Amino acid sequence: MPTANQERNADIMAIGSTQRRGSIGNVSHEGIPDEVDVAIVGSGGAGLMAALTAAKEGARVLVVESREIVGGATGISAGAAWIPNHGFSTKDLGVKDDLDQARRYIYGEGRDQILDHDLVEKFLDTGPHVARFIEEHTSFGWIPTIWPDYRSDIDGASVGRALFPGPYSPKGLGDAAKFVRPALTTGMAKNPLPFWLLGGIGIDDVWLAGPALVGALLEAGLRNGVDVRVETPATRLLIDESGVRGIVVQADGVEHTVRATKGVLLASGGFESSAEVTTTYLGAPFGAQVSPEGHDGIAVQLADEVGADLTGMEDAWWMPGVQLPGEELEGRPLSRVFLGERALPHSIMVNSQGERFANEALAYDQFGKIMREVDPETGTMPNATAWLVFDHHYWTKFGIFGTPPGGPVPDYLHRADTLSELAAEIGVDEAGLLRTVDRFNPEAARARDPQFHRGDTMFDRYFGAFYPRLGKYSPDARFPAATAKARMRIAAAIGPLVSKLAGRVAKRNDPDRVRSIVVGPLAKIIRPMLRSPRSSVLAPITTAPYYALKVEASALGTVGGPRTDALGRALDTEGNVIPGLYAAGNAGGAPTKGFYGGAGGTISLGLVFGYLAGLAAARRQDRD
């Protein structure tokens, strides 16, 4: 007897075989329709989600993408989605969650006074359905895991709301696979999840992380008749007395007009790539870019031109970034996101005055926001360029960005025999740095941080150096360099086998089965990390030589865009629906106004409101 998932897959293929398959490519090769039902600007998670949803409603859908490749910021992310009350494998996770608990969390710390409750309630109610909709209509499955919310110690927080992509087989994409960027890596020194096992995995048989989500949505969209045109930026909206009626795009220097009988959806991401727009709304450009090229604020421009009410323009999904020499993406420098390394002991972060300015173990959105704070007296951002300063204990225990503990010191690290010499080399105030370390060390030796309370929360300690099973006798604690090298060799050796096995699992497309095998063991591995002590993130900086790594303020994406209602319909400055205009994702004015709930908090908003906007557009729900 076929399983429920096999029957579902057969149904999907049967549906796909009865309708026109969509196409993907540039205009010169594939042409472009003169008229569709729904035109979508942007091909990230929000855009592809909206496209699939509208197509499932029977709409003719066109997605236009300014770049030569699809996926946007979703495509280079971990692909996680933060979905409260998702209901997947809750018994195996050992967590309880409900919407009331999630409401207390989202509305906490005074957010109940500033957030649009209609949007929040729609997100909470719709999120679990959207997660299942994706599994039902794509060759993709979610894997929930233990991962603390980013404000882990406030009322309503949970450790089980993050959904990560399961393995996805790109075989269903065929030639379209070349339009999806392979997965990138941050080389995080310390991660509670055993991602090191995947270090040798290839991309021919299976995709993981963001590319898995993008590939699955693209495949399903094409199967349901969605057309995608790359290298085709939108330049303006078509409007008449009845509202937005289509878009004008440019391809190979030629303008093309596409009428959209039911509406246009803006899902082109934020404006973090634009020096002009970031200066206007955020005070200055970003010194480092951690998102792909192309997020130049076209959604803001188009929405503003038709009188939309712009909201959230001063917010972003903040992220510290590190630019390593020679690392680029499509010809432009791309920085690494800077995550768990900040939480490890024997380290601090300082500004040009040699002073600590925040709890280094904060979630990246909170830490990155502090890096962008403006000094009211000088009008500058004193923390926008900072330094991770650490000692030889750190280097021999953890390494950094894929360099094993105690390995050859890469050129991008500064090294000196004394803190004074290190301060001179990196241009940091010597007296300030020495004073900061003198203040930090005695308390850190006692696993305390009275200045910034590092280590006080569960999330702070989650990325710490904690070995719950063997403690100081753990191979990671006793032989960190040998253990790291052994893992690299094991990952490389088993990589081809893991790739083949994961590819077979992905082809079967049975997420329930995958979860039944994976979630329980993963939870048992990770849950002990929730008991990590303060000493896992705090220890003094005492042993020469000393090291410094340059870190710059950046953002995964910006938040601002046209304000929308709970259906994703754009609103004008008087609060009225703009007929025919929709927005979602980082182009959609962020329903949580920059509040980052947990891992996947931005992608989940894009998926949920992409779904809602795609549904509303296909059904033409633009009239009160």
Side-chain angles (χ1 to χ4, degrees), residues 544-611:
Y546 301 96
Y547 306 82
L549 173 71
K550 187 178 182 180
V551 183
E552 295 182 272
S554 189
L556 296 171
T558 54
V559 167
R563 185 162 62 94
T564 69
D565 67 7
L567 297 178
R569 302 179 297 181
L571 305 176
D572 65 20
T573 54
E574 296 181 354
N576 300 313
V577 169
I578 300 175
L581 185 62
Y582 307 81
N586 288 353
T592 60
K593 293 187 181 296
F595 171 65
Y596 209 134
T602 61
I603 289 177
S604 62
L605 292 173
L607 295 176
V608 170
F609 286 96
Y611 167 86

Side-chain angles (χ1 to χ4, degrees), residues 168-481:
Y168 164 73
S169 172
K171 302 301 183 184
L173 277 171
D175 289 342
K178 67 186 178 184
F179 293 100
V180 181
R181 183 185 296 107
L184 304 178
T185 179
T186 65
M188 188 189 297
K190 184 77 168 58
N191 195 312
L193 290 170
F195 281 144
W196 66 270
L197 287 167
L198 307 177
I201 201 167
I203 60 172
D204 293 334
D205 299 300
V206 65
W207 289 354
L208 303 170
L213 178 57
V214 169
L217 290 173
L218 175 62
E219 178 191 347
L222 294 173
R223 189 171 58 234
N224 284 277
V226 173
D227 289 316
V228 181
R229 294 295 174 265
V230 297
E231 300 177 277
T232 308
T235 58
R236 64 182 187 274
L237 296 173
L238 292 177
I239 57 173
D240 60 22
E241 65 280 355
S242 65
V244 176
R245 305 295 294 173
I247 56 172
V248 177
V249 301
Q250 190 171 74
D252 298 322
V254 178
E255 284 195 339
H256 302 268
T257 297
V258 180
R259 297 192 64 81
T261 62
K262 295 188 175 183
V264 174
L265 195 156
L266 304 177
S268 53
F271 53 84
E272 66 272 12
S273 297
S274 170
E276 179 182 354
V277 186
T278 51
T279 298
T280 299
Y281 292 105
L282 298 176
F286 292 109
Q289 293 287 334
V290 297
S291 68
E293 184 72 37
H295 297 149
D296 54 6
I298 186 62
V300 172
Q301 174 191 323
L302 297 179
D304 190 46
E305 289 173 352
V306 297
D309 183 21
L310 300 180
T311 183
M313 299 299 292
E314 71 285 356
D315 291 317
W317 308 116
W318 309 106
M319 169 66 75
V322 175
Q323 180 64 59
L324 301 188
E327 290 200 342
E328 296 183 339
L329 185 66
E330 282 103 48
R332 186 199 68 161
L334 185 76
S335 297
R336 303 257 186 142
V337 295
F338 196 46
L339 303 173
E341 297 88 352
R342 293 179 284 108
L344 293 170
H346 305 287
S347 70
I348 54 173
M349 284 194 67
V350 300
N351 57 23
S352 63
Q353 298 302 308
E355 297 172 345
R356 294 178 70 209
F357 53 89
N359 165 11
E360 294 88 351
L362 282 173
Y364 47 80
D365 65 309
Q366 299 164 67
F367 191 86
K369 184 175 183 179
I370 295 171
M371 291 186 74
R372 289 282 294 194
E373 286 181 349
V374 175
D375 183 335
E377 294 185 2
T378 65
T380 64
M381 298 177 182
N383 309 317
T385 296
W387 298 89
L388 179 75
V389 173
F390 55 94
D391 71 1
H392 201 57
H393 276 306
Y394 184 110
W395 183 246
T396 57
K397 289 182 177 181
F398 311 120
I400 202 164
F401 286 143
T403 299
V409 179
D411 292 339
Y412 59 79
L413 283 183
H414 297 265
R415 176 179 174 176
D417 290 331
T418 68
L419 287 171
S420 294
E421 292 172 358
L422 186 68
E425 182 168 329
I426 63 177
V428 162
D429 183 79
E430 176 188 349
L433 180 60
L434 294 176
R435 185 169 56 248
T436 294
V437 173
D438 285 345
R439 177 179 182 179
F440 175 79
N441 278 351
E443 297 292 344
R446 298 174 177 85
R448 299 189 308 205
D449 178 21
Q451 186 177 10
F452 291 111
H453 308 287
R454 175 170 162 184
D456 280 9
T457 72
M458 180 190 297
F459 184 85
D460 282 5
R461 304 186 296 270
Y462 188 61
F463 291 103
F466 179 51
Y467 313 106
R469 289 168 181 82
L470 297 176
K472 65 180 180 180
Y473 300 107
S474 165
D476 284 294
R478 296 192 67 188
F479 313 108

Side-chain angles (χ1 to χ4, degrees), residues 130-153:
V130 170
R132 284 166 174 76
F133 179 93
I134 292 171
E135 285 201 351
E136 181 180 354
H137 297 292
T138 75
S139 302
F140 176 89
W142 299 104
I143 297 178
T145 191
I146 301 292
W147 201 281
D149 286 344
Y150 288 173
R151 273 78 164 176
S152 60
D153 284 41

